[in-house]
Amino acid sequence: MMNTMNKISYSADTKYLSTWGTTNARRWNEEAEVKVKRMKREVEQAKENEVKQVKEEMQKREELWINYLGGLAAAFTEESYSDIQIKPANGPFIPAHKFLLATRSEVFKHMLSSDTCKAAQIDSVCLPEFNHEELQTFLEFLYCGNLSKEKFGMHYCSLALASHKYAIPHLQKFCEEHILELLDSSNALKVLEISEICSNETLKVAALEWILKHKKEITGSPSFEEFAIQNPHLMVHIIRYS
């Protein structure tokens, strides 16, 4: 009898412990899940706050930078305290500032700091590769660090060549990024020419891929034959790339 009672008591205790363990384990899991979710929300909120703070700081810096460049742009448009005249291939001189040319380009820096320039006190320089509008756009970029899409689209070729000739890294990068955006069947051959002159592998690969992808359209264009005659070495690139 006693053994039977003990067995019943043991069985009840075991069942109770099992139920207690299962119930509490479930509760602990639920509490843990709640804590994990809360921690995730806190982490996400912290990230959002951090991103927001970074964006606000970047916006403030951008505004300061724009204000800073705005002063240079005003100096260019208003011709304030200009000390050098730039002569394009055609049209009138455009006033500029030696210090800005020198800080934007190592080539201009050496040109303006050479003994010949110092001795002659040169106050003008001729850049015959530009027409008047191209030169004005080029100088606008040197002063402002940016150009409208429309202006760049009109003068991307002269700007890209100038960025290479005068060793202006910011303009080189700007031209590369925006020429890639402009690339299409109407200018792919020209972009390939630019890439060769400027030794820009990124533009070269992009132009070759476009030409091969739209081969029928481009080879059938009126400009293709002239391009082939003037650029036999680039034709070799096109053939080898195909």
Side-chain angles (χ1 to χ4, degrees):
M1 182 72 176
M2 184 62 71
N3 288 337
T4 302
M5 291 294 292
N6 288 338
K7 286 181 180 179
I8 293 171
S9 176
Y10 176 77
S11 177
D13 290 344
T14 303
K15 186 176 181 180
Y16 169 76
L17 289 172
S18 176
T19 304
W20 180 87
T22 302
T23 302
N24 281 278
R26 188 181 298 114
R27 179 169 58 82
W28 292 334
N29 284 336
E30 290 173 354
E31 290 177 353
E33 287 177 1
V34 170
K35 288 181 180 179
V36 169
K37 288 180 180 178
R38 185 171 65 248
M39 289 175 65
K40 284 183 177 179
R41 284 197 301 270
E42 290 174 354
V43 169
E44 289 173 359
Q45 186 63 48
K47 286 182 178 179
E48 288 178 5
N49 292 338
E50 186 177 351
V51 169
K52 184 179 179 181
Q53 186 177 358
V54 170
K55 285 183 177 179
E56 288 175 352
E57 290 177 359
M58 289 179 65
Q59 187 175 357
K60 288 179 181 178
R61 290 180 183 178
E62 186 177 347
E63 289 173 356
L64 289 172
W65 181 241
I66 289 172
N67 290 335
Y68 169 72
L69 290 177
L72 293 176
F76 174 57
T77 55
E78 296 170 8
E79 303 178 8
S80 304
Y81 307 105
S82 60
D83 55 3
I84 191 168
Q85 300 283 324
I86 313 294
K87 181 71 171 73
N90 66 318
F93 284 88
I94 299 178
H97 301 81
K98 291 179 182 179
F99 85 92
L100 187 127
L101 297 177
T103 55
R104 293 290 189 262
S105 162
E106 285 295 318
V107 175
F108 283 134
K109 181 179 179 180
H110 290 306
M111 183 190 301
L112 296 171
S113 62
S114 67
D115 293 337
T116 304
C117 286
K118 288 179 179 178
Q121 293 185 339
I122 291 176
D123 59 1
S124 67
V125 63
C126 184
L127 303 181
E129 66 270 27
F130 293 110
N131 63 36
H132 188 269
E133 191 174 349
E134 289 170 343
L135 177 59
Q136 197 158 24
T137 303
F138 173 66
L139 290 173
E140 180 180 337
F141 182 87
L142 295 187
Y143 279 83
C144 304
N146 199 8
L147 287 171
S148 68
K149 187 175 181 179
E150 182 182 0
K151 278 189 179 180
F152 181 79
M154 291 173 61
H155 305 298
Y156 71 89
C157 183
S158 62
L159 289 169
L161 298 179
S163 73
H164 175 70
K165 179 177 180 179
Y166 296 108
I168 307 172
H170 182 48
L171 181 54
Q172 288 175 329
K173 189 64 178 176
F174 185 90
C175 287
E176 179 184 296
E177 291 176 356
H178 289 76
I179 287 174
L180 289 173
E181 293 177 3
L182 292 175
L183 182 61
D184 59 23
S185 297
S186 69
N187 61 25
L189 295 174
K190 176 58 69 177
V191 171
L192 184 58
E193 286 184 276
I194 292 171
S195 72
E196 180 72 6
I197 296 170
C198 298
S199 302
N200 189 308
E201 195 64 24
T202 300
L203 289 180
K204 180 178 287 187
V205 170
L208 286 170
E209 288 181 350
W210 189 281
I211 291 167
L212 294 178
K213 187 176 180 181
H214 304 84
K215 190 173 182 179
K216 187 174 181 180
E217 179 185 358
I218 292 174
T219 56
S221 65
S223 60
F224 182 75
E225 186 175 345
E226 182 181 353
F227 170 86
I229 294 171
Q230 294 179 352
N231 302 281
H233 59 296
L234 292 179
M235 288 301 299
V236 173
H237 282 298
I238 294 173
I239 293 169
R240 286 178 177 173
Y241 202 80
S242 59

